[in-house]
Amino acid sequence: MRSLLEFVRKGNDLKVTVIVTLKADVLDPEGEAIRKVSRSLGYEAVEGVRQGKFFEINIEGGTEQEAKSLAEDLAEKFLANPVIEDYRVERVEL
Amino acid sequence: MRSLLEFVRKGNDLKVTVIVTLKADVLDPEGEAIRKVSRSLGYEAVEGVRQGKFFEINIEGGTEQEAKSLAEDLAEKFLANPVIEDYRVERVEL
């Protein structure tokens, strides 16, 4: 019965994404390196690159609002560094 | 006049994002660590976490299709490792 239970449980899961980016006034040397490499490869239209982190979180049960609120807690506690980073939480349709 | 020129140029920029994630069958130890930490902090509803990379790319001129195609080139050439990673390109409204 395990697979059936898992199927049922998955039916109650919500998927949210957290995107963590450096604040606009914080230097992003990695993004700058990617911009330079892009241009040296001939992609001259690349004006700027900012890098960030992406997290996809499966949350069991609860409402969409609860899932987003949980993801915001995680972002504030340890996914993002609020001094230099911003984050945004989005719901993903399964 | 520099600021005016920059303003005009920015008016022609398109912003695209590239999200790079591990393929579903590739182990993600960092995501697993985040899941464990979340649960040890009391967020028992966290069923699973997958980590990835996020890139925001400003592209000068061209159409939306050209900007996306350029971003796909970058993803295939060096932003993603196609053996173990998937990527997706999205347009962002400025």
Side-chain angles (χ1 to χ4, degrees), chain A residues 12-51:
Chain A
N12 293 324
D13 274 10
L14 291 175
K15 191 180 276 190
V16 291
T17 61
V18 178
I19 292 171
V20 177
T21 50
L22 285 166
K23 286 185 195 287
D25 56 350
V26 175
L27 284 179
D28 177 2
E30 232 174 322
E32 179 59 14
I34 292 167
R35 186 188 70 83
K36 283 185 182 161
V37 169
S38 303
R39 294 176 77 107
S40 74
L41 289 174
Y43 299 99
E44 312 258 326
V46 175
E47 281 291 308
V49 180
R50 302 284 289 175
Q51 210 189 10

Side-chain angles (χ1 to χ4, degrees), chain B residues 7-9 11 15 20 23 26 33 35 37 44 49 51-52 55 58 62 65-67 76 79 85 88 93:
Chain B
F7 174 77
V8 173
R9 189 160 51 71
K15 191 179 276 190
V20 177
K23 285 184 195 287
V26 175
R35 186 187 70 83
V37 168
E44 312 258 325
V49 179
Q51 210 190 9
F55 305 92
N58 282 309
Q65 196 45 52
E66 282 166 348
E76 274 177 32
L79 298 180
E85 291 173 327
R88 57 180 190 269
E93 299 302 325

Side-chain angles (χ1 to χ4, degrees), chain A residues 9 21 34 38 41 43 45 47-52 54-60 73-74 77-78 88, chain B residues 9 21 34 38 43 45 47-52 54-60 73-74 77-78 88:
Chain A
R9 190 162 48 73
T21 50
I34 292 167
S38 303
L41 289 174
Y43 299 99
E47 281 291 308
V49 180
R50 302 284 289 175
Q51 210 189 10
F54 172 87
F55 305 92
E56 203 168 67
I57 307 173
N58 281 308
I59 296 172
E60 192 185 6
D73 278 6
L74 299 185
K77 282 203 173 143
F78 60 92
R88 57 180 190 269
Chain B
R9 189 160 51 71
T21 50
I34 292 167
S38 303
Y43 299 100
E47 281 291 308
V49 179
R50 302 282 290 174
Q51 210 190 9
F54 172 86
F55 305 92
E56 204 168 67
I57 307 174
N58 282 309
I59 296 172
E60 191 185 8
D73 277 7
L74 299 185
K77 281 203 174 143
F78 61 92
R88 57 180 190 269

